[in-house]
Amino acid sequence: MRTNVSETIFFIDRDSGIGLQAQLRETIVSAVLAGRVQPHAHLPSTRKLADYLRISRITVTLAYQELISQGYVEAVNRSSYRIAGNPPGMDVEGERPSGGADPVDWSRKIKMSFDVVRQVHKPLDWRRYPFPFLYGQMDPTLFDLNAWRDCARRALAREDFVLMASDFAAADDVRLVNYICSRTLPRRGIHATPDEILVTVGAQNALWIVTRLILEKGSAAVCENPCHPDISASLLLSGADVTTVDVDREGLSPDALPEKVDAVFVTPSHHSPTGATMPVDRRTQLLEAAEERDFVIVEDDYEFEISYLAPPSPALKALDPTGRVLYIGSFSKSLFPGLRLGYLVAPAPFIREARALRSLMLRHPPGHLQRTAAYFLALGHYDAVLHRMRTEYHKRHVLMAESLRRENLTIAGSSTFGGTSFWMEGPEGLDADRLVSELRQDGVLVESGSPFFPRSDQPCRYFRMGYSSIPSASIAEGVARVRARIDVLTCRNNSGKLNEHPAARGT
C-alpha cells in the first residue's frame, strides 16, 4: 500500500536567513531521523509542493536531488520521489536503532497533567497565508531592526559585557529597571522603586510566579469569563477553587464576585479577549471590595501602549492606596512576541519571594537581552516604534471596522482606546473551531474563541481577528472570505444550536 508524505509537514520562513532549499532539506532529514516518515513513503510532487509553499518548482527539484546524493531520497521516475529504503540513521536491517520498549511507565511517574491548558493555536508557517488575521504577531516593517542591532552591539561593549555577563539572580539589569521605574510605570500612573520590580520572561512567567506565591489547594481564585487561556490554566493548575465571572461591556463586575475569594485576576484596561475597558468607578468599587474582604488583585495590563483612539485609563494599581494590586506588564506585545521580557510590580516583601522563586525556576532572564532592551528603550527607539505602530494600527482598525460592517459581521467586543484585534460573534449554528480549520483552505487565519471559555465544552461561535500582521491592502478581501466561509458553514449546518456564551459580549 502506497504511503504519502503530506505537504503540510513543510513550511518556509522567509525571514530566517536560511535558504529555501536548505529549509526543505532540513524538514525531510529531520522527519526521517525522528521517525515521522517511513522508508519508501512518496514525497509530494515537485509541482504540488512548489504550489503549496508558493516557491519555484526548480527550488524543490534541486532540494530533492541534493537529498538523493545524500541517500535520504530516491527517484522513482523522472517526476516522482520517495524516502530511501535505507536512509542515513537506519541500521543494517533498515530499521531505526531502538533501545527497545521504554522501561519507564511515564503515565504513573508524571504527577501533574497539563491537559487543562487550551492553547490558541497559531501555525508556524502563518506568514505564507495571504490573510493572517492573527493576534499578537508583529509586522516587521514597523520595527527598527537596525536600531535593535545597534543596541545589541552596545550591550557587548566591554563595560556592559562585564555587568550583563554576571549572575542576575539577586538583581536585574539596573538600566532596564530604572527605565521601568522612571518612564514605563509613570505613564500608567504608577510609582515604584527598584526593589518593587522583578523582570520576568514575559507576562506569563510573572503570572505563574504570582499564582505559585498566593494560591494553594483550597484557595479561592476568580478570573474573567471569557478569559485568556494561560490565566485560567495557571489558576486551575495551582489547585485553587476557580470561579469565572462573566464580563459585560465594562469588564468584570465586582458585584458578581463570590462570597469567598482570595485573589481576583483581571485585565481591566483592555479585557482579553473582548477589549472591554473597566471604568474608573468600577475599578474603585473593586479596590474597596479587596480592602473590605481582604483579597488581592492581579492586574494584567497588556497592550496599554497601543492607544490611538483615546488615551488609556490609569492602571488599576495607580488607584490602589493599600498595595493590594500586583501589576504585570510586558514589552513582548509592544515590541515583538519573541522578546519574552515582562515585569512584575508589587510590594518589596512580595518581590523578594518572587525573585527567590524565579531563581529556582530559571535563575534570571538573559543579561544580554535585558541590556539590549534597556538601550533600545533609553535611546528613544521604543517610543519611535510605538508611534509607527499606533499610526499604522489606527489605519488598519478603521479599514477592518469598515470591512466588517460592509460584510455584515458582528463585532462582539470593542476597545475604547485602540488595540490590535476585534472580538467577533458568528451567527447561531457556527462552530468557530471548524471555521478556523476551513478558512485555512481559503488562505485566511483567524482564532477560535473556544480556548477563552475554560468552563465550557460546547461549540463556540465567537472568534478573534487581529490586524497587527496583515497588510492593509489585504484586509477587505480577507474579511470577505471570512463572510463567505461563514455563509457556507451555517447553510451546511443551520439546524445546530450552540451555546450562547452571553458573557462573551464586550459591548
Side-chain angles (χ1 to χ4, degrees), residues 243-311:
T243 300
T244 58
V245 173
D246 293 348
V247 300
D248 56 25
R249 61 190 179 89
E250 295 184 341
L252 179 143
S253 173
D255 293 333
L257 294 177
E259 181 177 349
K260 184 179 186 302
V261 56
D262 296 308
V264 176
F265 291 72
V266 291
T267 52
S269 295
H270 187 203
H271 172 254
S272 174
T274 70
T277 298
M278 184 183 291
V280 173
D281 59 345
R282 185 172 281 191
R283 297 183 190 211
T284 302
Q285 185 183 357
L286 180 60
L287 290 168
E288 290 174 348
E291 184 174 5
E292 179 182 343
R293 300 169 59 181
D294 191 27
F295 63 80
V296 299
I297 301 169
V298 181
E299 176 183 18
D300 184 355
D301 196 30
Y302 84 106
E303 230 182 31
F304 78 85
E305 306 95 336
I306 312 300
S307 54
Y308 45 78
L309 298 178

Coordinates of all heavy atoms in Angstrom, one line a residue, residues 243-311:
T243 N -13.4 30.3 40.3 CA -14.7 30.8 39.8 C -14.6 31.8 38.7 O -13.7 32.7 38.7 CB -15.5 31.6 41.0 OG1 -15.6 30.7 42.1 CG2 -16.8 32.1 40.5
T244 N -15.3 31.6 37.6 CA -15.3 32.5 36.5 C -16.5 33.4 36.6 O -17.6 33.0 36.9 CB -15.3 31.7 35.1 OG1 -16.5 30.9 35.1 CG2 -14.1 30.8 35.0
V245 N -16.2 34.7 36.4 CA -17.3 35.8 36.4 C -17.4 36.4 35.1 O -16.5 36.8 34.5 CB -16.9 36.9 37.5 CG1 -17.9 38.0 37.4 CG2 -16.8 36.3 38.9
D246 N -18.7 36.3 34.6 CA -18.9 36.9 33.2 C -18.6 38.3 33.2 O -18.9 39.1 34.1 CB -20.4 36.7 32.9 CG -20.8 35.2 32.7 OD1 -19.8 34.4 32.7 OD2 -22.0 34.9 32.7
V247 N -18.0 38.7 32.0 CA -17.7 40.2 31.8 C -18.9 40.7 31.0 O -19.6 40.0 30.3 CB -16.4 40.4 31.0 CG1 -15.2 39.8 31.8 CG2 -16.5 39.7 29.7
D248 N -19.1 42.1 31.1 CA -20.0 42.8 30.3 C -19.3 43.9 29.6 O -18.0 43.8 29.4 CB -21.2 43.3 31.1 CG -20.7 44.2 32.3 OD1 -19.6 44.8 32.2 OD2 -21.4 44.3 33.3
R249 N -19.9 44.9 29.1 CA -19.3 45.9 28.3 C -18.3 46.7 29.1 O -17.6 47.5 28.6 CB -20.3 46.8 27.5 CG -21.2 47.5 28.5 CD -22.3 48.2 27.7 NE -23.3 48.9 28.5 CZ -23.1 50.2 28.9 NH1 -22.1 50.8 28.5 NH2 -24.0 50.7 29.7
E250 N -18.4 46.6 30.4 CA -17.5 47.3 31.3 C -16.5 46.4 32.1 O -16.0 46.7 33.1 CB -18.3 48.2 32.3 CG -19.1 49.3 31.7 CD -19.8 50.1 32.7 OE1 -20.0 49.7 33.8 OE2 -20.2 51.3 32.3
G251 N -16.3 45.2 31.5 CA -15.4 44.2 32.1 C -16.1 43.5 33.3 O -17.3 43.2 33.3
L252 N -15.2 43.0 34.2 CA -15.7 42.2 35.3 C -16.5 43.1 36.3 O -16.0 44.2 36.7 CB -14.5 41.6 36.0 CG -14.8 40.7 37.2 CD1 -13.9 39.5 37.3 CD2 -14.6 41.5 38.5
S253 N -17.6 42.6 36.8 CA -18.4 43.4 37.8 C -18.0 42.9 39.2 O -18.2 41.8 39.5 CB -19.9 43.2 37.5 OG -20.7 43.8 38.6
P254 N -17.6 43.9 40.1 CA -17.3 43.5 41.5 C -18.6 42.9 42.2 O -18.4 42.1 43.1 CB -16.9 44.8 42.1 CG -16.4 45.6 40.9 CD -17.3 45.3 39.8
D255 N -19.7 43.3 41.8 CA -21.0 42.8 42.4 C -21.2 41.3 42.2 O -21.9 40.7 42.9 CB -22.2 43.6 41.9 CG -22.2 45.0 42.3 OD1 -21.6 45.3 43.3 OD2 -22.8 45.8 41.6
A256 N -20.5 40.8 41.2 CA -20.7 39.3 40.8 C -19.6 38.4 41.5 O -19.7 37.2 41.3 CB -20.6 39.2 39.3
L257 N -18.8 39.0 42.3 CA -17.7 38.2 43.0 C -18.4 37.2 44.0 O -19.4 37.6 44.7 CB -16.7 39.1 43.7 CG -15.8 40.0 42.9 CD1 -15.0 40.8 43.8 CD2 -15.0 39.1 41.9
P258 N -17.9 36.0 44.1 CA -18.4 35.0 45.1 C -18.1 35.5 46.5 O -17.3 36.4 46.7 CB -17.7 33.7 44.7 CG -16.4 34.2 44.1 CD -16.7 35.4 43.4
E259 N -18.8 34.8 47.4 CA -18.6 35.2 48.8 C -17.2 35.0 49.3 O -16.6 35.8 50.0 CB -19.6 34.4 49.7 CG -19.5 34.7 51.2 CD -20.5 34.0 52.0 OE1 -21.4 33.3 51.4 OE2 -20.5 34.0 53.2
K260 N -16.6 33.9 48.9 CA -15.2 33.5 49.3 C -14.3 33.8 48.2 O -14.4 33.3 47.1 CB -15.1 32.1 49.8 CG -13.7 31.7 50.3 CD -13.7 30.2 50.7 CE -12.3 29.9 51.4 NZ -11.2 30.1 50.6
V261 N -13.3 34.7 48.4 CA -12.3 35.0 47.4 C -11.0 35.4 48.0 O -11.0 36.2 49.0 CB -12.9 36.1 46.4 CG1 -13.2 37.3 47.2 CG2 -11.8 36.4 45.4
D262 N -9.9 34.8 47.5 CA -8.6 35.2 48.0 C -7.8 36.1 47.0 O -6.9 36.8 47.3 CB -7.7 33.9 48.3 CG -8.3 33.1 49.4 OD1 -8.6 33.7 50.5 OD2 -8.6 31.9 49.2
A263 N -8.1 35.9 45.7 CA -7.4 36.6 44.6 C -8.3 36.8 43.4 O -9.0 35.8 43.0 CB -6.1 35.9 44.2
V264 N -8.3 37.9 42.8 CA -9.0 38.2 41.6 C -8.1 38.6 40.5 O -7.2 39.5 40.7 CB -10.0 39.4 41.8 CG1 -10.7 39.7 40.5 CG2 -11.1 39.0 42.9
F265 N -8.2 37.9 39.3 CA -7.3 38.1 38.2 C -8.0 38.8 37.1 O -9.1 38.3 36.6 CB -6.7 36.8 37.7 CG -5.8 36.1 38.6 CD1 -6.2 35.5 39.8 CD2 -4.4 36.1 38.4 CE1 -5.3 34.9 40.7 CE2 -3.5 35.5 39.2 CZ -4.0 34.9 40.4
V266 N -7.6 40.0 36.7 CA -8.3 40.9 35.8 C -7.4 41.5 34.8 O -6.2 41.7 35.0 CB -9.1 42.0 36.5 CG1 -10.2 41.5 37.4 CG2 -8.2 42.8 37.4
T267 N -8.0 41.9 33.6 CA -7.4 42.7 32.6 C -8.2 43.9 32.4 O -8.9 44.0 31.4 CB -7.2 41.9 31.3 OG1 -8.5 41.3 30.9 CG2 -6.3 40.7 31.4
P268 N -8.2 44.9 33.3 CA -9.2 46.0 33.3 C -9.0 47.0 32.2 O -10.0 47.5 31.7 CB -8.9 46.6 34.7 CG -7.5 46.3 35.1 CD -7.3 44.9 34.5
S269 N -7.8 47.3 31.8 CA -7.6 48.3 30.8 C -8.0 47.9 29.4 O -8.4 48.7 28.6 CB -6.1 48.8 30.8 OG -5.8 49.4 32.0
H270 N -7.8 46.6 29.2 CA -8.1 46.0 27.8 C -8.4 44.6 28.0 O -7.5 43.7 27.9 CB -6.9 46.3 26.9 CG -7.2 45.9 25.5 ND1 -6.2 45.6 24.6 CD2 -8.4 45.8 24.8 CE1 -6.8 45.3 23.4 NE2 -8.1 45.4 23.5
H271 N -9.7 44.3 28.3 CA -10.0 42.9 28.6 C -9.6 41.9 27.5 O -9.8 42.2 26.3 CB -11.5 42.8 28.9 CG -12.0 41.3 29.1 ND1 -12.7 40.7 28.1 CD2 -11.8 40.5 30.0 CE1 -12.9 39.5 28.5 NE2 -12.4 39.3 29.7
S272 N -9.1 40.8 27.9 CA -8.7 39.8 27.0 C -9.8 38.7 27.0 O -10.0 38.1 28.1 CB -7.4 39.2 27.3 OG -7.1 38.0 26.5
P273 N -10.5 38.5 25.9 CA -10.2 38.9 24.5 C -11.2 40.0 24.0 O -11.0 40.4 22.9 CB -10.5 37.7 23.7 CG -11.6 37.0 24.4 CD -11.5 37.3 25.9
T274 N -12.2 40.5 24.7 CA -13.2 41.3 24.2 C -12.8 42.7 23.9 O -13.3 43.4 23.1 CB -14.5 41.4 25.0 OG1 -14.2 42.1 26.2 CG2 -15.0 40.0 25.4
G275 N -11.7 43.2 24.7 CA -11.3 44.6 24.5 C -12.0 45.6 25.4 O -11.7 46.8 25.4
A276 N -13.0 45.1 26.2 CA -13.7 46.0 27.1 C -12.8 46.7 28.1 O -11.8 46.1 28.6 CB -14.8 45.2 27.8
T277 N -13.1 47.9 28.5 CA -12.3 48.7 29.4 C -13.2 48.9 30.7 O -14.3 49.4 30.6 CB -11.9 50.0 28.9 OG1 -11.0 49.8 27.7 CG2 -11.1 50.9 29.9
M278 N -12.6 48.6 31.9 CA -13.3 48.8 33.1 C -13.3 50.2 33.5 O -12.2 50.8 33.6 CB -12.6 47.9 34.2 CG -13.3 48.0 35.6 SD -12.5 47.1 36.9 CE -12.7 45.4 36.3
P279 N -14.4 50.9 33.7 CA -14.4 52.3 34.0 C -13.9 52.6 35.4 O -13.8 51.6 36.3 CB -15.9 52.7 33.9 CG -16.6 51.4 34.2 CD -15.8 50.3 33.6
V280 N -13.5 53.8 35.7 CA -12.9 54.2 37.0 C -13.8 53.8 38.2 O -13.3 53.4 39.2 CB -12.5 55.7 37.0 CG1 -12.0 56.1 38.4 CG2 -11.4 55.9 35.9
D281 N -15.1 54.1 38.1 CA -15.9 53.8 39.2 C -16.0 52.4 39.6 O -16.0 52.0 40.7 CB -17.4 54.4 39.0 CG -18.0 53.8 37.8 OD1 -17.3 53.2 37.0 OD2 -19.3 54.0 37.6
R282 N -16.0 51.5 38.6 CA -16.0 50.1 38.8 C -14.6 49.6 39.4 O -14.5 48.7 40.2 CB -16.3 49.3 37.5 CG -16.4 47.8 37.8 CD -17.0 47.0 36.6 NE -18.4 47.2 36.4 CZ -19.1 46.4 35.6 NH1 -18.6 45.6 34.8 NH2 -20.4 46.6 35.5
R283 N -13.5 50.3 38.9 CA -12.2 49.9 39.5 C -12.2 50.3 41.0 O -11.6 49.6 41.8 CB -11.1 50.7 38.7 CG -11.0 50.3 37.2 CD -9.9 51.0 36.5 NE -10.0 50.8 35.1 CZ -8.9 50.8 34.3 NH1 -7.7 50.9 34.8 NH2 -9.1 50.6 33.0
T284 N -12.7 51.5 41.3 CA -12.7 51.9 42.7 C -13.5 50.9 43.5 O -13.2 50.6 44.6 CB -13.3 53.3 42.8 OG1 -12.6 54.2 42.0 CG2 -13.3 53.8 44.2
Q285 N -14.7 50.5 43.0 CA -15.5 49.5 43.7 C -14.8 48.2 43.9 O -14.9 47.6 45.0 CB -16.8 49.3 42.9 CG -17.8 48.4 43.6 CD -19.0 48.1 42.7 OE1 -19.1 48.6 41.5 NE2 -19.9 47.3 43.2
L286 N -14.0 47.8 42.9 CA -13.2 46.5 43.1 C -12.1 46.7 44.2 O -11.9 45.8 45.0 CB -12.6 46.1 41.8 CG -11.7 44.9 41.7 CD1 -12.6 43.7 42.1 CD2 -11.1 44.6 40.3
L287 N -11.5 47.8 44.2 CA -10.4 48.1 45.2 C -11.0 48.2 46.6 O -10.4 47.7 47.5 CB -9.7 49.4 44.8 CG -8.8 49.4 43.6 CD1 -8.4 50.8 43.2 CD2 -7.6 48.5 43.9
E288 N -12.2 48.8 46.7 CA -12.8 48.9 48.0 C -13.2 47.5 48.5 O -13.1 47.2 49.7 CB -14.1 49.8 47.9 CG -13.7 51.3 47.7 CD -14.9 52.1 47.5 OE1 -16.0 51.6 47.2 OE2 -14.8 53.4 47.5
A289 N -13.7 46.6 47.6 CA -14.1 45.3 47.9 C -12.9 44.5 48.4 O -12.9 43.7 49.3 CB -14.8 44.6 46.8
A290 N -11.7 44.7 47.7 CA -10.5 44.0 48.1 C -10.0 44.4 49.5 O -9.6 43.5 50.3 CB -9.4 44.3 47.1
E291 N -10.1 45.6 49.8 CA -9.7 46.1 51.2 C -10.7 45.5 52.2 O -10.3 45.1 53.3 CB -9.7 47.6 51.2 CG -9.2 48.1 52.6 CD -8.9 49.6 52.6 OE1 -9.3 50.2 51.6 OE2 -8.5 50.1 53.6
E292 N -12.0 45.6 51.9 CA -13.0 45.2 52.9 C -13.0 43.7 53.1 O -13.2 43.3 54.3 CB -14.4 45.7 52.4 CG -15.5 45.3 53.3 CD -16.9 45.7 52.7 OE1 -16.9 46.5 51.8 OE2 -17.9 45.2 53.2
R293 N -12.7 43.0 52.1 CA -12.8 41.5 52.2 C -11.5 40.8 52.2 O -11.4 39.6 52.2 CB -13.7 41.0 51.0 CG -15.1 41.5 51.0 CD -15.9 41.2 49.8 NE -16.0 39.8 49.5 CZ -16.6 39.3 48.5 NH1 -17.2 40.1 47.6 NH2 -16.7 38.0 48.3
D294 N -10.4 41.6 52.2 CA -9.0 41.1 52.4 C -8.6 40.2 51.3 O -8.1 39.0 51.6 CB -8.9 40.5 53.7 CG -7.4 40.3 54.1 OD1 -6.5 41.0 53.5 OD2 -7.1 39.3 54.8
F295 N -8.8 40.5 50.0 CA -8.2 39.7 48.9 C -7.3 40.6 48.1 O -7.3 41.8 48.2 CB -9.3 39.1 48.0 CG -10.2 40.0 47.3 CD1 -9.8 40.7 46.1 CD2 -11.5 40.3 47.8 CE1 -10.7 41.5 45.5 CE2 -12.4 41.1 47.1 CZ -12.0 41.8 45.9
V296 N -6.4 39.9 47.3 CA -5.5 40.7 46.4 C -6.0 40.7 45.0 O -6.9 39.8 44.6 CB -4.1 40.1 46.5 CG1 -3.5 40.2 47.9 CG2 -4.1 38.6 46.0
I297 N -5.5 41.6 44.2 CA -5.9 41.7 42.8 C -4.7 41.6 41.9 O -3.6 42.2 42.2 CB -6.6 43.1 42.5 CG1 -7.8 43.2 43.4 CG2 -7.0 43.2 41.0 CD1 -8.4 44.7 43.3
V298 N -4.7 40.7 40.9 CA -3.6 40.6 40.0 C -4.1 41.3 38.7 O -5.0 40.8 38.0 CB -3.3 39.1 39.7 CG1 -2.1 39.0 38.8 CG2 -2.9 38.4 41.1
E299 N -3.4 42.3 38.3 CA -3.7 43.1 37.1 C -2.8 42.8 36.0 O -1.6 43.1 36.1 CB -3.7 44.6 37.4 CG -4.0 45.5 36.2 CD -3.8 47.0 36.6 OE1 -3.2 47.3 37.6 OE2 -4.3 47.8 35.8
D300 N -3.3 42.3 34.9 CA -2.5 42.1 33.6 C -2.8 43.3 32.7 O -3.9 43.4 32.2 CB -2.9 40.8 33.0 CG -2.1 40.4 31.8 OD1 -1.2 41.3 31.4 OD2 -2.2 39.4 31.2
D301 N -1.9 44.2 32.6 CA -2.1 45.4 31.9 C -1.6 45.4 30.5 O -0.8 46.3 30.1 CB -1.5 46.6 32.7 CG -2.0 48.0 32.3 OD1 -3.1 48.1 31.8 OD2 -1.2 48.9 32.4
Y302 N -1.9 44.4 29.7 CA -1.3 44.2 28.4 C -1.9 45.2 27.4 O -3.0 45.6 27.5 CB -1.5 42.8 28.0 CG -2.8 42.5 27.3 CD1 -2.9 42.3 25.9 CD2 -4.0 42.4 28.0 CE1 -4.1 42.0 25.3 CE2 -5.2 42.1 27.4 CZ -5.3 42.0 26.1 OH -6.5 41.7 25.4
E303 N -1.1 45.5 26.4 CA -1.4 46.3 25.2 C -1.9 47.7 25.6 O -2.5 48.4 24.7 CB -2.5 45.6 24.4 CG -2.2 45.5 23.0 CD -3.2 44.8 22.1 OE1 -4.4 44.9 22.4 OE2 -2.8 44.2 21.1
F304 N -1.6 48.3 26.7 CA -2.0 49.6 27.0 C -1.2 50.6 26.1 O -1.7 51.7 25.9 CB -1.7 50.0 28.5 CG -0.3 50.3 28.8 CD1 0.3 51.5 28.7 CD2 0.5 49.3 29.3 CE1 1.6 51.8 29.0 CE2 1.9 49.5 29.7 CZ 2.4 50.8 29.5
E305 N -0.1 50.2 25.6 CA 0.7 51.1 24.8 C 0.1 51.4 23.4 O 0.3 52.4 22.8 CB 2.1 50.5 24.5 CG 2.9 50.2 25.8 CD 2.7 48.7 26.1 OE1 1.7 48.1 25.7 OE2 3.6 48.1 26.8
I306 N -0.7 50.4 23.0 CA -1.3 50.6 21.6 C -2.6 51.4 21.7 O -3.7 50.9 21.5 CB -1.6 49.2 21.0 CG1 -0.3 48.3 21.1 CG2 -1.9 49.4 19.5 CD1 0.9 48.9 20.4
S307 N -2.5 52.6 22.1 CA -3.7 53.5 22.3 C -3.6 54.6 21.2 O -2.7 55.3 21.1 CB -3.6 54.2 23.7 OG -2.4 54.8 23.9
Y308 N -4.7 54.6 20.4 CA -4.7 55.6 19.3 C -6.1 56.2 19.1 O -6.3 57.2 18.4 CB -4.3 55.0 18.0 CG -4.8 53.6 17.7 CD1 -6.1 53.5 17.2 CD2 -4.1 52.5 17.9 CE1 -6.7 52.2 16.9 CE2 -4.6 51.2 17.6 CZ -5.9 51.1 17.1 OH -6.4 49.9 16.9
L309 N -7.1 55.6 19.7 CA -8.5 56.1 19.7 C -8.7 57.1 20.8 O -9.4 58.1 20.7 CB -9.5 55.0 19.8 CG -9.5 54.0 18.6 CD1 -10.5 52.9 18.9 CD2 -9.7 54.6 17.3
A310 N -8.1 56.9 22.0 CA -8.2 57.7 23.1 C -7.1 57.3 24.1 O -6.5 56.2 24.0 CB -9.6 57.5 23.8
P311 N -6.7 58.3 25.0 CA -5.7 57.9 26.0 C -6.2 56.8 26.9 O -7.3 56.7 27.2 CB -5.5 59.2 26.8 CG -6.0 60.3 25.9 CD -7.1 59.7 25.1

